[in-house]
Amino acid sequence: MQEVTEYLNPSEMEMSEDKCRQIDFHHLPVIRTFPVPATDDLFAEALSFAGIKVMDAPMIETVPVPFSLPNPIEAYNWLIFTSKNALQPFFSAHPEGKKQKIAVIGEATAQHLRQMGINPTFTGSGHSGRRFAEELLPVLGQDDTLLLVTGALATSVVPEILSAKHVVHRVDVYDTRMPASINTQAIGLIEKGHYSIIAVSSPSAVNNLLSLIQDQKKLRFASIGTVTSAALRQHGIEPFAESAEQSYEALANTIINALTKKHKL
């Protein structure tokens, strides 16, 4: 764990441009609020390579939920996944789904799918759910029926766009909740302003974290995309930085660029 004495206090974050040039923001930890991946940790690797410390304080955990399909899986031409979290719960219950055409929102989800021995038929750019749906529409056949496999808290953007031209059924295979154990040291650093940026990748993480923080006026967030940024704005917080691509590696690079820009003020 990092030594608290290494960090700046909140008053030092409000500084003149001359003094800002003298501060190495890389000495302040990035607070990661999403779970550490079980395999390649591209987020931490990118930040570590740039000399930036990461403190983990997961604000969400995903749990499988019971589900049933509206129709037999053979009735669907495509299985649509907007999160890697939906892959394991779904294919554990329906391994026969590997034979269907599969579309995933971006490369991060595609990599997890390949690790399961399944190749996606279509991989979106990973920018947002809306972009994913718009990219997928031209690929679909005229009479294709779609099964959207997602989480209980996922927005309705993707099915709304796709259902304009296709039959879309949705099944929720996991839910997101506050972890039973919270990193109280990280919460303390956030409350004291002793951090560089808080990295968030979902509205759930935003809402769970802010439920623990009293003074929210000067919080600095880096968001993984537009939906998470919208959740921040609902709390009156403008993101310090927003990733153009919905992946942990892209979010890390966004943070590096933001901190470098701040340091060079």
Side-chain angles (χ1 to χ4, degrees), residues 59 178 182-183 187 191 206-216:
M59 288 291 116
M178 175 85 83
I182 300 296
N183 185 342
I187 299 300
E191 290 178 330
V206 170
N207 296 332
N208 290 345
L209 175 61
L210 293 180
S211 72
L212 302 175
I213 305 296
Q214 292 186 351
D215 187 359
Q216 303 174 4

Side-chain angles (χ1 to χ4, degrees), residues 49-69:
F49 186 79
I52 301 173
K53 301 174 183 178
V54 176
M55 176 176 280
D56 289 308
M59 288 291 116
I60 59 170
E61 63 180 12
T62 59
V63 291
V65 297
F67 68 93
S68 59
L69 302 185

